[in-house]
C-alpha cells in the first residue's frame, strides 16, 4: 500500500500528529510492560523463576514489549482508525534488495564512525543490562537472535516507521516526519538506562537517534516496511554475534 501526502498540515494538525505519535509510543510501552509482568507472574505461579542471567527472561520481555506492546498496539490503532493506508509494504523488488544491503552497511558505518568519535573525545557509552548478561552467559546472545528477528525488528519498525512516521507524514514533510519519528523511537529506549544520569546516557541516545534517522530515510526511500525490518533485524543479529564472539574469545 502506498501513502501520498502533501505534508502541509495546519498547526493544529501537526500538533495532533505529534501528540498521536507520543501517545501511541506511551500506550505501546505500557501495554508491553503489563504483558511482560503478567507473563512473568504466570510463570512464577507455576514455579518457574527467571533470574537476571536467564535468557528466557529477556525473551519473555521481548515478546511482551515489542511483540504484544508495540505490535498489537500498532495493529489496533490501524484497525480502529482505519489507517492501514499509512503502511507501505509489498513484496521486495531488486531495488529493495540493494537498499537493504546499503542499509545494513550504512548502520554499521554509522556505529563505526560514532565509536571513533567517542573514542577520540573520550566519551564512554553507558552499559545496559543485556551486554553484561551476555558477557557472563554468552549463549544468551544466540538464544535471543530468533526473538530479535521475529519480534524486536518487526514490532519496533511497525510502530516507529510504519505507524508513527506514517501518521506524522499526514501533517509534515518527509524529512520532518523522519526526525520526529526518530525522536519518539529514541525516547522509547529510555527504559534501557532508567537509572543512568542523563549526562552519561546522552551518547547512547545520540547513537540511537542517528541510527533511527538512517532507518527512517531508508523507509521513505524504499516505501517498503519489509526493507527496514530486514535491516534492523540483521543489524541486531550482527550485534548479538559480535557480543557472543567477544564473550567467548580466549
Amino acid at each position: 500500500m502506498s501513502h501520498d501526502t502533501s505534508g502541509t498540515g495546519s498547526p493544529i494538525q501537526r500538533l495532533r500528529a505529534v501528540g498521536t505519535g507520543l501517545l501511541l509510543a506511551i500506550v505501546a510501552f505500557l501495554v508491553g510492560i503489563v504483558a511482560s509482568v503478567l507473563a512473568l507472574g504466570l510463570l512464577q505461579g507455576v514455579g518457574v523463576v527467571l533470574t537476571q542471567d536467564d535468557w528466557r527472561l529477556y525473551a519473555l520481555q521481548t515478546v511482551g514489549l515489542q511483540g504484544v506492546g508495540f505490535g498489537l498496539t500498532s495493529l489496533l490503532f490501524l484497525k480502529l482508525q482505519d489507517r492501514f493506508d499509512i503502511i507501505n509494504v509489498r513484496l521486495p523488488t531488486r531495488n529493495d534488495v540493494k537498499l537493504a544491503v546499503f542499509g545494513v552497511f550504512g548502520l554499521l558505518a554509522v556505529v563505526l564512525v560514532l565509536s571513533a568519535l567517542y573514542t577520540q573525545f573520550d566519551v564512554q557509552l553507558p552499559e545496559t543490562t543485556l551486554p553484561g548478561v551476555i558477557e557472563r552467559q554468552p549463549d544468551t546472545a544466540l538464544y535471543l537472535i530468533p526473538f530479535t528477528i521475529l519480534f524486536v525488528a518487526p514490532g519496533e519498525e511497525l510502530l516507529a516507521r510504519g505507524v508513527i512516521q506514517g501518521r506524522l507524514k499526514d501533517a509534515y514533510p518527509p524529512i520532518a516526519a523522519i526526525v520526529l519519528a526518530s525522536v519518539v523511537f529514541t525516547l522509547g529506549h529510555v527504559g534501557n538506562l532508567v537509572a543512568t544520569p542523563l549526562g552519561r546516557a546522552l551518547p547512547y541516545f545520540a547513537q540511537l537517534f542517528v541510527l533511527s534517522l538512517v532507518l527512517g530515510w531508508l523507509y521513505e526511500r524504499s516505501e517498503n516496511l519489509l526493507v527496514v525490518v530486514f535491516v534492523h533485524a540483521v543489524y541486531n543479529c550482527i550485534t548479538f554475534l559480535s557480543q557472543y564472539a567477544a564473550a567467548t574469545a580466549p
Side-chain angles (χ1 to χ4, degrees):
M1 285 173 284
S2 173
H3 176 52
D4 295 319
T5 179
S6 61
T8 56
S10 67
I12 295 298
Q13 289 173 323
R14 291 188 171 194
L15 186 60
R16 185 178 293 127
V18 172
T20 299
L22 288 172
L23 182 60
L24 278 170
I26 293 170
V27 170
F29 182 78
L30 292 177
V31 170
I33 293 297
V34 171
S36 298
V37 170
L38 288 176
L40 189 59
L42 288 173
L43 288 176
Q44 290 176 341
V46 296
V48 179
V49 179
L50 304 181
T51 65
Q52 189 178 24
D53 281 356
D54 193 325
W55 70 270
R56 295 175 298 175
L57 174 63
Y58 302 95
L60 181 148
Q61 291 174 343
T62 295
V63 175
L65 185 60
Q66 282 92 348
V68 177
F70 293 4
L72 184 60
T73 299
S74 298
L75 292 173
L76 282 175
F77 170 81
L78 295 171
K79 177 65 176 178
L80 294 175
Q81 297 294 315
D82 193 20
R83 289 308 312 269
F84 283 97
D85 61 298
I86 64 175
I87 302 296
N88 296 320
V89 62
R90 65 174 188 281
L91 291 175
T93 64
R94 181 175 299 180
N95 189 57
D96 289 335
V97 174
K98 293 178 182 178
L99 283 171
V101 173
F102 175 82
V104 171
F105 283 101
L107 290 186
L108 294 175
V110 165
V111 171
L112 289 176
V113 170
L114 288 176
S115 296
L117 289 173
Y118 288 164
T119 300
Q120 177 68 29
F121 294 100
D122 196 27
V123 175
Q124 299 292 325
L125 280 174
E127 185 83 1
T128 55
T129 302
L130 192 52
V133 174
I134 292 173
E135 187 175 346
R136 296 186 297 272
Q137 304 286 344
D139 286 351
T140 297
L142 302 182
Y143 293 143
L144 292 181
I145 284 178
F147 292 89
T148 201
I149 294 172
L150 295 174
F151 298 102
V152 176
E156 292 188 356
E157 292 308 318
L158 176 60
L159 178 64
R161 246 60 62 180
V163 175
I164 295 178
Q165 186 170 311
R167 176 66 180 88
L168 286 166
K169 282 183 64 180
D170 285 340
Y172 289 90
I175 293 178
I178 291 170
V179 172
L180 290 170
S182 295
V183 171
V184 176
F185 177 83
T186 303
L187 291 175
H189 289 76
V190 168
N192 292 347
L193 297 173
V194 67
T196 304
L198 181 60
R200 289 193 59 223
L202 281 177
Y204 172 81
F205 293 129
Q207 179 168 296
L208 273 178
F209 178 71
V210 176
L211 292 175
S212 184
L213 289 176
V214 174
L215 289 168
W217 172 85
L218 194 62
Y219 180 50
E220 178 66 23
R221 182 64 184 269
S222 67
E223 296 187 330
N224 191 354
L225 191 65
L226 294 181
V227 172
V228 286
V229 168
F230 173 83
V231 171
H232 192 154
V234 171
Y235 172 79
N236 283 359
C237 290
I238 292 173
T239 300
F240 277 136
L241 290 173
S242 65
Q243 291 172 340
Y244 175 80
T248 55

